Amino acid sequence: MPRKRKTQPSPEELTAKGRMATSGTVAAAAAMEPFQANLMGPDAGFDPIHTSLVDRVKQVQSGDLSHVESMLMSQAMALQTMFSSLARRAANQEYVQHQQGYLALAIKAQSASRATLTALIELKQPRRPTFIAQANVAGGHQQINNAPTNPLNRPGFRGGPLG
Protein backbone atom coordinates (compact mmCIF):
# COMPACT_ATOMS: atom_id res chain seq x y z
CA MET A 1 0.00 0.00 0.00
CA PRO A 2 1.54 3.32 -1.00
CA ARG A 3 2.18 5.91 1.67
CA LYS A 4 0.25 9.13 1.67
CA ARG A 5 2.34 12.20 1.16
CA LYS A 6 2.04 14.88 3.77
CA THR A 7 0.96 18.13 2.29
CA GLN A 8 2.77 21.21 3.43
CA PRO A 9 0.61 23.60 5.47
CA SER A 10 -0.21 26.90 3.85
CA PRO A 11 1.38 30.11 5.17
CA GLU A 12 -2.03 31.05 6.62
CA GLU A 13 -2.20 27.74 8.53
CA LEU A 14 1.32 28.22 9.84
CA THR A 15 0.50 31.76 10.98
CA ALA A 16 -2.66 30.52 12.72
CA LYS A 17 -0.70 27.74 14.46
CA GLY A 18 1.94 30.25 15.53
CA ARG A 19 -0.71 32.53 17.02
CA MET A 20 -2.27 29.62 18.88
CA ALA A 21 1.11 28.44 20.17
CA THR A 22 1.83 31.88 21.63
CA SER A 23 -1.67 32.50 22.98
CA GLY A 24 -1.87 32.67 26.76
CA THR A 25 -5.42 31.32 26.83
CA VAL A 26 -4.52 28.36 24.60
CA ALA A 27 -1.53 27.48 26.79
CA ALA A 28 -3.59 27.80 29.97
CA ALA A 29 -6.42 25.67 28.58
CA ALA A 30 -3.94 23.00 27.47
CA ALA A 31 -2.42 22.96 30.96
CA MET A 32 -5.83 22.93 32.69
CA GLU A 33 -7.42 20.17 30.61
CA PRO A 34 -5.69 17.12 32.15
CA PHE A 35 -6.03 18.47 35.70
CA GLN A 36 -9.74 19.20 35.57
CA ALA A 37 -10.80 15.67 34.59
CA ASN A 38 -11.11 14.53 38.21
CA LEU A 39 -13.25 17.60 38.99
CA MET A 40 -15.55 18.02 35.98
CA GLY A 41 -15.13 14.72 34.17
CA PRO A 42 -13.32 13.88 30.96
CA ASP A 43 -15.98 15.40 28.69
CA ALA A 44 -15.13 19.00 29.70
CA GLY A 45 -12.33 19.17 27.18
CA PHE A 46 -10.10 21.81 25.67
CA ASP A 47 -12.70 23.82 23.71
CA PRO A 48 -15.10 24.66 26.58
CA ILE A 49 -12.16 25.45 28.87
CA HIS A 50 -10.62 27.75 26.26
CA THR A 51 -13.93 29.49 25.59
CA SER A 52 -14.42 30.12 29.31
CA LEU A 53 -10.88 31.45 29.66
CA VAL A 54 -11.35 33.86 26.78
CA ASP A 55 -14.56 35.13 28.46
CA ARG A 56 -12.74 35.59 31.80
CA VAL A 57 -9.88 37.47 30.14
CA LYS A 58 -12.36 39.81 28.46
CA GLN A 59 -14.02 40.43 31.86
CA VAL A 60 -10.72 41.42 33.42
CA GLN A 61 -9.75 43.56 30.47
CA SER A 62 -13.03 45.45 30.79
CA GLY A 63 -12.25 46.15 34.46
CA ASP A 64 -14.54 43.54 36.08
CA LEU A 65 -12.38 41.85 38.70
CA SER A 66 -15.20 40.08 40.54
CA HIS A 67 -14.14 36.66 39.24
CA VAL A 68 -10.53 37.31 40.26
CA GLU A 69 -11.66 38.31 43.76
CA SER A 70 -13.84 35.21 44.01
CA MET A 71 -11.02 32.97 42.83
CA LEU A 72 -8.48 34.44 45.25
CA MET A 73 -10.82 34.16 48.23
CA SER A 74 -11.74 30.58 47.31
CA GLN A 75 -8.08 29.63 46.94
CA ALA A 76 -7.22 31.20 50.28
CA MET A 77 -9.99 29.24 51.99
CA ALA A 78 -8.97 25.98 50.29
CA LEU A 79 -5.37 26.54 51.40
CA GLN A 80 -6.53 27.32 54.94
CA THR A 81 -8.48 24.05 54.97
CA MET A 82 -5.35 22.19 53.81
CA PHE A 83 -3.36 23.87 56.59
CA SER A 84 -5.88 22.84 59.23
CA SER A 85 -6.10 19.27 57.97
CA LEU A 86 -2.32 18.85 57.75
CA ALA A 87 -1.78 20.40 61.19
CA ARG A 88 -4.32 17.98 62.71
CA ARG A 89 -2.63 15.04 60.97
CA ALA A 90 0.73 16.19 62.32
CA ALA A 91 -0.65 16.27 65.86
CA ASN A 92 -1.82 12.65 65.53
CA GLN A 93 1.53 11.28 64.35
CA GLU A 94 3.48 8.90 66.53
CA TYR A 95 6.86 9.40 64.87
CA VAL A 96 8.62 12.77 64.87
CA GLN A 97 9.75 12.41 61.24
CA HIS A 98 6.14 12.01 60.08
CA GLN A 99 5.03 14.87 62.30
CA GLN A 100 7.71 17.15 60.83
CA GLY A 101 6.66 16.25 57.28
CA TYR A 102 3.03 17.10 57.91
CA LEU A 103 3.94 20.30 59.76
CA ALA A 104 6.21 21.42 56.91
CA LEU A 105 3.37 20.94 54.43
CA ALA A 106 0.94 22.69 56.78
CA ILE A 107 3.22 25.72 57.08
CA LYS A 108 3.58 25.87 53.28
CA ALA A 109 -0.20 25.82 52.87
CA GLN A 110 -0.57 28.53 55.52
CA SER A 111 2.06 30.67 53.79
CA ALA A 112 0.35 30.25 50.43
CA SER A 113 -2.99 31.19 52.00
CA ARG A 114 -1.46 34.34 53.51
CA ALA A 115 0.11 35.29 50.17
CA THR A 116 -3.21 34.77 48.41
CA LEU A 117 -5.03 36.94 50.94
CA THR A 118 -2.34 39.61 50.57
CA ALA A 119 -2.90 39.60 46.81
CA LEU A 120 -6.64 39.96 47.38
CA ILE A 121 -6.14 42.88 49.76
CA GLU A 122 -3.79 44.58 47.28
CA LEU A 123 -6.43 44.12 44.59
CA LYS A 124 -9.22 45.56 46.73
CA GLN A 125 -7.20 48.29 48.43
CA PRO A 126 -4.17 49.21 46.32
CA ARG A 127 -1.38 51.01 48.10
CA ARG A 128 -1.05 54.68 47.37
CA PRO A 129 2.34 55.68 46.09
CA THR A 130 4.38 57.52 48.68
CA PHE A 131 6.82 60.16 47.57
CA ILE A 132 9.46 60.84 50.18
CA ALA A 133 11.91 63.71 50.00
CA GLN A 134 15.51 62.69 50.43
CA ALA A 135 16.57 62.54 54.05
CA ASN A 136 20.30 62.76 54.56
CA VAL A 137 21.01 61.34 57.98
CA ALA A 138 24.44 60.02 58.82
CA GLY A 139 26.39 59.54 62.00
CA GLY A 140 29.67 60.44 60.32
CA HIS A 141 30.94 61.66 56.99
CA GLN A 142 28.41 61.46 54.20
CA GLN A 143 28.66 62.16 50.48
CA ILE A 144 25.47 62.64 48.51
CA ASN A 145 25.37 62.32 44.75
CA ASN A 146 21.85 63.28 43.72
CA ALA A 147 22.46 63.25 40.01
CA PRO A 148 25.34 62.26 37.83
CA THR A 149 27.40 65.31 37.02
CA ASN A 150 28.70 66.08 33.59
CA PRO A 151 32.29 67.36 33.81
CA LEU A 152 31.65 69.44 30.69
CA ASN A 153 29.09 71.55 32.60
CA ARG A 154 31.30 72.51 35.54
CA PRO A 155 32.04 76.23 36.09
CA GLY A 156 35.15 77.49 34.36
CA PHE A 157 35.23 74.79 31.70
CA ARG A 158 36.25 76.34 28.40
CA GLY A 159 36.02 73.28 26.20
CA GLY A 160 38.55 71.29 24.25
CA PRO A 161 40.70 68.42 25.46
CA LEU A 162 43.22 70.71 27.21
CA GLY A 163 40.70 73.19 28.62
Side-chain angles (χ1 to χ4, degrees), residues 147-163:
T149 58
N150 185 346
L152 301 177
N153 292 337
R154 70 178 186 262
F157 182 74
R158 289 182 263 150
L162 300 175

Side-chain angles (χ1 to χ4, degrees), residues 23-41:
S23 166
T25 56
V26 170
M32 289 171 67
E33 184 182 14
F35 287 101
Q36 63 73 39
N38 65 344
L39 296 172
M40 302 296 145

Side-chain angles (χ1 to χ4, degrees), residues 99-148:
Q99 189 177 39
Q100 287 175 338
Y102 279 116
L103 282 176
L105 290 173
I107 297 300
K108 285 182 181 182
Q110 184 184 42
S111 177
S113 179
R114 180 200 47 77
T116 304
L117 288 171
T118 301
L120 179 60
I121 291 167
E122 287 285 327
L123 180 67
K124 296 289 287 178
Q125 300 170 356
R127 294 181 189 173
R128 293 188 184 130
T130 305
F131 300 99
I132 301 173
Q134 180 175 335
N136 302 322
V137 180
H141 298 288
Q142 178 176 1
Q143 177 180 348
I144 301 165
N145 297 321
N146 286 323

